[in-house]
Amino acid sequence: MSASHSSDPPGERDTERVNMALAAGAIIGTWFWDVAQDSLTVDDALARVHGLDPALARTELRLEQVVAAVHPEDRPGLAEAIAEAVRRGGRYAHQYRTRSADGQYRWIEAIGRVDLDAEGKAIGFPGVLIDIDERRRVEAERDQAQTLLRSFVEATPGVVYAKDRQGRILIGNRGTTELIGRPPEAYVGRTDAELLGDPVQAATVMATDERVMASGQSEQLEEEVSFPDGRRAHWLSTKSPLRDADGNVVGLIGTSLDITARKVAEARHLEVEERYRLAARATNDAIWDWRISDGQVVWNEALATLFGHAHSETDAQWWLDHIHPDDRARVDAGIHAVIDGDGDAWSAEYRFRRADGSYAAVLDRGAMLRGAAGEPVRMIGAMLDLSGRKAAEAALADSEERLRLATEAGDMGFWDVDLVHDVLIWPARTKAMFGISPDVAVSMRDFYGGIHPDDLAMTSAAFAAAADPAQRARYDVEYRTIGKEDGVVRWVAAKGQGLFDGDRCVRVVGVAIDISARKAADARLHELNERLESRVAEEVAERTRVEDALRQSQKMEAVGQLTGGIAHDFNNMLATVIGPLDLLALRLGDSDPRATRYIDMAIDGASRAAQLTQRLLAFSRQQPLQPVQLDVNQLVAGMSDLLVHSLGSRIHLDTVLADDLSPAFADANQLENVILNLAVNARDAMPEGGHLRVATANCCIDAPGDDAHPDVPPGRYIMISVADSGHGMPPEVIAKAFDPFFTTKGVGQGTGLGLSQVYGFVKQSSGHLKIASQVGQGTMVKVYLPRPVAAMEAGDAGDAGGAQGSEGTAAPGGDRELILVVDDEPAVRQFSIDALSEMGYPVLAADGAATALALLDAHPAIALLFTDVVMPQVNGRELADEALRRRPDLRVLFATGYSRNALERDGVLDPSVQVIGKPFTLDELATRVRTVLANA
């Protein structure tokens, strides 16, 4: 009778295993159990495996006889497996230990099949035994080794991991789990790019791993890593290639230890050393460090600055030898008394010999550093040059005598405040100004008490500023006094200054004059002039307002003309830099990587200079514009991804686009730059994050003075508003917001041309620009662009980029169109010739209109006229007009550094004109030439 589950895939696998075991000689016994009759028949081999007498083989046995040799711990499981197989039928497989005749247990696997009758009852149970003892032993050793490896990896401090050749993690310890912040089942089989939140960190780690696997060499490096909770740490990592049995690199193993604390300690140590170095350099004192053990003395630069000795290291005897002979014994005894005793500080004044042989009076101080047992280790000190102070003291004594004589002769009162000893010196003339008798003693309390209450704060502040070492202001005040004895109010004018000893003010001296009569005269004169001034003030205010408006307009126009001219000249110069560099890079190719890198650096710098000139042209309203009929809503929507990327994750962007928005008439590329400029400015005004709203609307202003749109002339406009929730601007900043080079950002953080460029573009596009802002409440900028006239030709409303071809630099070779290059600048003309020749075009060249027209007549095959616009005598537009009169099918491409020339009509470029702005790259020239020729 066939088995009920003979077709099950597991049964097929058992059959395959039995066949393989037979082939390998691994079957060690067979059985057949007649379940219905409970009769079990085994072969000789099975009997021996179960420790039975071989004579019992092929006789009818009972299951209990065979099972008796099974290991006691395995019997319950075997009985349960047999019962389950008999109950359900089909395949049977079970592993257990059995004791053979020699008394040793060995592992075997029983594989069989239970056949069921039509009623589902077991009738037959045949099977075989396979020896798996060696396999189980190997598996046990493997499991033990894996457990040992896992325990070792988990016990290893820091991060331990292994990766395959594609960077997928194979295993990681607890440190790896903590670093990634996910359980092993979440990161095993995945790469760092999929796991780490910091993409830069992930890219760096994977690049290092790839380098180690590619080189086959171990590396030790320091890495900065980020934890999921925001912590950052420094790791010392060791990475080695993981090899298979044949020595091939199949992955990578790595370990990392946290060295954050060590890095912090190193940084603090370096910071302390740097502070000491800077402090030693910053002071005017000669700083010295004396090591007692060998007498070595290290000096700072002040030893040379103050005394002319070009030494950084000496010994103690050298220092002692340079002390004046009359002071040497005293200084030597004093400093050794501190060193040999238990003192911790020393100071002395003495004369020290300069390099030129003269002596300087110095004040020297030192601090003693001792070891744990109190032994002297080092003494660190500073030597202050007192020569200037000594000379000043002598000069001061002489000056005081002269001052006393001068003040008496000039009817002035003298005063001297000794701040060190809190003493005030007033002669009789000064006391009289405060209503005090000549023989009465005075103090600073009399000074402050005698000042009129309305003038006290101002006078006290002026005196404090004069005595402040940080300010050292000149004391120059006028104040009223109230006589202490007579109560008379007097006006006094006082002047003075502080005298300082290093960073301490020791005295403030000056003079005072009674100006009461002058003040009375001034008051009468002021009263007479006040009426006249009030009448003049109104007229002046109105004139000032008008003059300010005119001056601002003239200033902006003058700056615009200046910047436009500068930008034009720079564009011509840059054209001879960027283009030849492109050609040089093309010629060199990859033959010299270092030269290629230098060329790329030069091109990058020149390109940034070209961007700056474009901003200058935009402000001066001299950039080439090609306005078209434009769907502003579509343009803003298309910029959303760019804006979101530029603003960052902390700023939320809202776009509110008006329904049925009318088209605008503007240059699409420049309008995108305007919106991006305004968005970036708004982002910088929200360093902590915020909201940015870009909105569009139709705007119709019927009359001047519209409250919703102040100072915007009547007309029909498309309005684009950019509003932020940033810190806002005060009125004085708003007034200068569009001025060129004005910026509120720090040095190196902005050119001040962003809003100027916006202003220039809007004005050049016949539009208007308004800004509204309040400090703490954000800023809104509104751009008003004119709608196109209804009679605009359909062709004039095409895509602004329609004139741009998609082809890259043309490959040399083949039959190409003949091009005539006209430019009065030899360097620019030569670059154009070389560039076009490099692209495979045959080229003729001329330095002016006369030569160009002659060549045009002589060569009918000329397909393209490539001419500069600004040229002497006959400009590029005039040349093109004459050339087209002779050859109507000729294609024309203009090159210009700015658009204030004959190409403009009403401030913008004619839509039919094809123009490339200077400077241009090789790719830009190739694309524009191909486009112009393709439109033939």
Side-chain angles (χ1 to χ4, degrees):
M1 184 177 292
S2 61
S4 301
H5 302 279
S6 60
S7 61
D8 289 348
E12 295 178 0
R13 289 196 297 269
D14 289 343
T15 301
E16 182 182 353
R17 292 170 61 189
V18 169
N19 293 334
M20 293 175 62
L22 284 170
I27 291 181
I28 57 175
T30 64
W31 84 84
F32 180 81
W33 180 25
D34 185 344
V35 181
Q37 301 299 324
D38 193 18
S39 174
L40 178 63
T41 304
V42 301
D43 61 6
D44 295 348
L46 188 146
R48 284 192 296 272
V49 169
H50 283 77
L52 299 175
D53 185 351
L56 297 176
R58 306 192 187 283
T59 65
E60 292 186 0
L61 300 175
R62 299 186 63 80
L63 181 62
E64 291 78 4
Q65 293 177 271
V66 180
V67 174
V70 176
H71 195 287
E73 295 178 358
D74 300 341
R75 289 176 190 171
L78 176 60
E80 182 180 349
I82 293 174
E84 174 64 19
V86 171
R87 182 187 62 78
R88 61 175 172 76
R91 65 177 297 274
Y92 162 80
H94 189 70
Q95 297 178 3
Y96 57 90
R97 289 167 290 179
T98 182
R99 185 179 65 249
S100 59
D102 60 3
Q104 300 295 320
Y105 283 101
R106 63 193 301 180
W107 278 97
I108 63 174
E109 182 176 19
I111 299 176
R113 183 186 76 252
V114 177
D115 297 327
L116 304 179
D117 60 13
E119 297 178 356
K121 294 182 179 181
I123 57 175
F125 190 172
V128 298
L129 294 183
I130 300 176
D131 186 352
I132 63 170
D133 194 66
E134 178 65 20
R135 191 180 79 192
R136 290 295 295 252
R137 184 186 65 77
V138 173
E139 290 176 350
E141 292 178 354
R142 181 200 63 195
D143 294 342
Q144 182 180 9
Q146 289 181 344
T147 302
L148 179 62
L149 175 61
R150 188 176 297 106
S151 300
F152 175 76
V153 170
E154 286 297 326
T156 302
V159 174
V160 179
Y161 55 87
K163 301 177 182 178
D164 65 12
R165 199 64 175 81
Q166 286 71 41
R168 294 186 292 261
I169 297 177
L170 302 175
I171 187 173
N173 69 340
R174 182 180 295 106
T176 305
T177 301
E178 292 175 355
L179 173 63
I180 297 177
R182 302 184 189 179
E185 57 269 18
Y187 63 73
V188 170
R190 303 178 70 184
T191 67
D192 292 294
E194 298 171 307
L195 295 172
L196 298 182
D198 187 340
V200 176
Q201 176 185 331
T204 302
V205 170
M206 294 189 71
T208 302
D209 293 349
E210 181 60 34
R211 184 175 67 249
V212 170
M213 291 187 287
S215 67
Q217 302 295 322
S218 299
E219 289 190 19
Q220 189 175 72
L221 66 156
E222 292 186 7
E223 296 179 303
E224 186 175 359
V225 298
S226 302
F227 287 89
D229 59 5
R231 291 181 297 116
R232 299 188 72 85
H234 288 272
W235 293 87
L236 179 62
S237 299
T238 301
K239 300 187 177 186
S240 301
L242 177 64
R243 301 180 185 273
D244 60 12
D246 298 328
N248 298 317
V249 176
V250 295
L252 174 139
I253 56 175
T255 63
S256 298
L257 291 175
D258 190 344
I259 59 170
T260 305
R262 190 189 79 185
K263 297 292 288 186
V264 171
E266 290 176 352
R268 289 177 177 171
H269 178 69
L270 292 174
E271 182 181 5
V272 170
E273 288 187 344
E274 181 65 10
R275 286 180 178 176
Y276 175 78
R277 186 184 67 82
L278 293 176
R281 292 185 62 184
T283 181
N284 291 326
D285 294 353
I287 306 298
W288 48 267
D289 187 347
W290 178 12
R291 189 166 60 202
I292 304 299
S293 60
D294 58 5
Q296 182 196 38
V297 181
V298 178
W299 299 84
N300 70 342
E301 295 88 342
L303 182 66
T305 304
L306 296 176
F307 308 112
H309 296 296
H311 296 294
S312 59
E313 294 185 14
T314 68
D315 55 28
Q317 188 60 44
W318 178 89
W319 164 71
L320 197 62
D321 291 343
H322 281 74
I323 297 177
H324 194 283
D326 295 343
D327 302 333
R328 191 174 300 156
R330 170 178 58 84
V331 174
D332 189 20
I335 197 168
H336 277 93
V338 174
I339 295 173
D340 298 337
D342 58 358
D344 57 5
W346 164 82
S347 66
E349 290 190 19
Y350 57 88
R351 289 162 288 179
F352 184 75
R353 190 170 74 242
R354 300 186 179 95
D356 61 5
S358 62
Y359 283 91
V362 301
L363 170 62
D364 208 348
R365 298 90 69 204
M368 191 73 235
L369 303 181
R370 299 184 181 275
E375 73 279 8
V377 178
R378 294 167 65 194
M379 181 177 280
I380 300 176
M383 185 189 298
L384 173 64
D385 189 351
L386 299 177
S387 302
R389 192 179 76 179
K390 294 289 187 181
E393 289 175 350
L396 179 60
D398 184 56
S399 297
E400 287 177 344
E401 178 62 18
R402 294 182 179 180
L403 177 62
R404 185 185 64 81
L405 297 173
T407 54
E408 290 181 355
D411 196 22
M412 293 183 293
F414 171 80
W415 52 270
D416 185 348
V417 182
D418 185 342
L419 295 177
V420 177
H421 303 95
D422 193 21
V423 174
L424 173 63
I425 300 174
W426 273 355
R429 195 182 307 274
T430 307
K431 291 179 180 179
M433 298 178 190
F434 285 79
I436 300 175
S437 301
D439 56 348
V440 175
V442 293
S443 66
M444 289 298 291
R445 180 177 300 177
D446 294 303
F447 168 66
Y448 288 117
I451 298 175
H452 193 285
D454 294 344
D455 302 334
L456 180 59
M458 174 268 297
T459 306
S460 300
F463 186 84
D468 184 356
Q471 300 186 57
R472 305 193 181 201
R474 184 169 181 81
Y475 181 72
D476 187 355
V477 292
E478 293 182 357
Y479 54 84
R480 289 163 291 180
T481 65
I482 301 177
K484 182 176 181 179
E485 299 175 5
D486 57 17
V488 176
V489 176
R490 301 175 177 86
W491 273 100
V492 175
K495 298 180 183 293
Q497 65 181 20
L499 302 178
F500 296 87
D501 180 7
D503 290 337
R504 183 179 67 163
C505 183
V506 295
R507 295 168 66 190
V508 183
V509 297
V511 296
I513 303 175
D514 188 335
I515 58 171
S516 300
R518 194 194 76 189
K519 283 291 185 179
D522 288 345
R524 291 193 297 271
L525 180 61
H526 177 72
E527 183 180 1
L528 293 173
N529 291 335
E530 190 173 26
R531 296 178 183 177
L532 177 61
E533 290 176 356
S534 63
R535 291 195 300 268
V536 172
E538 297 177 0
E539 296 294 333
V540 171
E542 178 61 22
R543 177 173 294 181
T544 300
R545 187 188 66 80
V546 175
E547 289 177 350
D548 286 345
L550 178 60
R551 189 181 306 109
Q552 178 68 11
S553 175
Q554 292 173 338
K555 180 185 72 173
M556 297 295 283
E557 182 64 25
V559 173
Q561 293 177 357
L562 175 62
T563 55
I566 293 174
H568 171 254
D569 291 339
F570 265 85
N571 278 337
N572 273 331
M573 290 184 281
L574 289 171
T576 62
V577 175
I578 295 177
L581 286 173
D582 263 344
L583 285 173
L584 183 58
L586 184 63
R587 290 293 180 88
L588 287 178
D590 298 328
S591 61
D592 189 343
R594 179 179 296 181
T596 301
R597 186 168 67 253
Y598 293 159
I599 292 172
D600 290 342
M601 291 168 59
I603 291 176
D604 180 68
S607 298
R608 285 188 279 112
Q611 292 173 3
L612 179 60
T613 60
Q614 285 301 110
R615 291 188 174 188
L616 292 172
L617 288 174
F619 160 69
S620 62
R621 289 175 267 172
Q622 298 179 28
Q623 62 179 336
L625 294 182
Q626 290 186 308
V628 296
Q629 186 166 301
L630 181 64
D631 185 343
V632 176
N633 279 352
Q634 183 179 357
L635 182 142
V636 173
M639 292 182 64
S640 295
D641 289 342
L642 174 62
L643 292 174
V644 169
H645 176 74
S646 300
L647 295 174
S649 60
R650 304 180 68 179
I651 297 177
H652 178 72
L653 173 66
D654 288 328
T655 55
V656 181
L657 307 179
D659 295 331
D660 300 324
L661 186 71
S662 298
F665 188 60
D667 187 306
N669 291 332
Q670 295 301 326
L671 182 56
E672 282 188 350
N673 288 336
V674 165
I675 297 174
L676 183 60
N677 252 321
L678 295 176
V680 170
N681 269 328
R683 177 200 65 192
D684 295 342
M686 299 181 286
E688 303 301 327
H691 290 78
L692 179 71
R693 181 177 183 179
V694 179
T696 63
N698 291 313
C699 180
C700 181
I701 303 176
D702 296 324
D706 190 321
D707 293 338
H709 311 282
D711 301 324
V712 178
R716 297 182 179 274
Y717 302 95
I718 300 303
M719 185 184 73
I720 306 170
S721 63
V722 179
D724 63 66
S725 60
H727 48 60
M729 293 184 286
E732 62 270 20
V733 174
I734 295 176
K736 298 180 179 180
F738 300 114
D739 284 4
F741 308 109
F742 173 78
T743 179
T744 58
K745 300 175 184 177
V747 176
Q749 298 180 2
T751 63
L753 287 173
L755 289 180
S756 299
Q757 182 181 3
V758 172
Y759 177 85
F761 164 75
V762 173
K763 290 300 182 182
Q764 189 175 354
S765 301
S766 301
H768 302 278
L769 191 65
K770 295 300 172 184
I771 184 169
S773 181
Q774 291 187 13
V775 176
Q777 297 185 22
T779 301
M780 175 182 285
V781 178
K782 295 181 179 179
V783 176
Y784 298 83
L785 295 175
R787 301 186 196 175
V789 295
M792 179 176 291
E793 295 284 333
D796 295 336
D799 182 10
Q804 300 295 330
S806 60
E807 296 85 0
T809 305
D815 296 328
R816 310 307 295 268
E817 297 88 342
L818 179 61
I819 298 176
L820 173 59
V821 174
V822 185
D823 200 305
D824 62 310
E825 288 285 340
V828 178
R829 184 173 66 250
Q830 187 59 50
F831 159 66
S832 299
I833 295 170
D834 293 343
L836 292 169
S837 298
E838 191 71 22
M839 299 172 200
Y841 292 101
V843 180
L844 297 175
D847 59 355
T851 306
L853 291 173
L855 288 173
L856 192 66
D857 292 339
H859 297 275
I862 294 175
L864 173 66
L865 172 63
F866 180 36
T867 178
D868 189 17
V869 175
V870 179
M871 294 188 297
Q873 297 178 355
V874 178
N875 64 36
R877 183 55 184 265
E878 294 169 341
L879 169 61
D881 290 342
E882 176 59 24
L884 289 171
R885 188 186 66 79
R886 301 183 184 189
R887 292 270 305 280
D889 60 336
L890 182 68
R891 313 307 296 176
V892 180
L893 175 61
F894 294 98
T896 181
Y898 67 122
S899 69
R900 180 163 289 181
N901 49 54
L903 296 181
E904 291 184 342
R905 294 176 181 173
D906 300 325
V908 298
L909 293 178
D910 189 321
S912 64
V913 171
Q914 296 292 341
V915 61
I916 183 171
K918 296 180 183 178
F920 47 81
T921 64
L922 194 62
D923 286 341
E924 291 170 348
L925 178 61
T927 299
R928 185 53 61 88
V929 168
R930 193 66 261 158
T931 299
V932 175
L933 290 172
N935 291 334

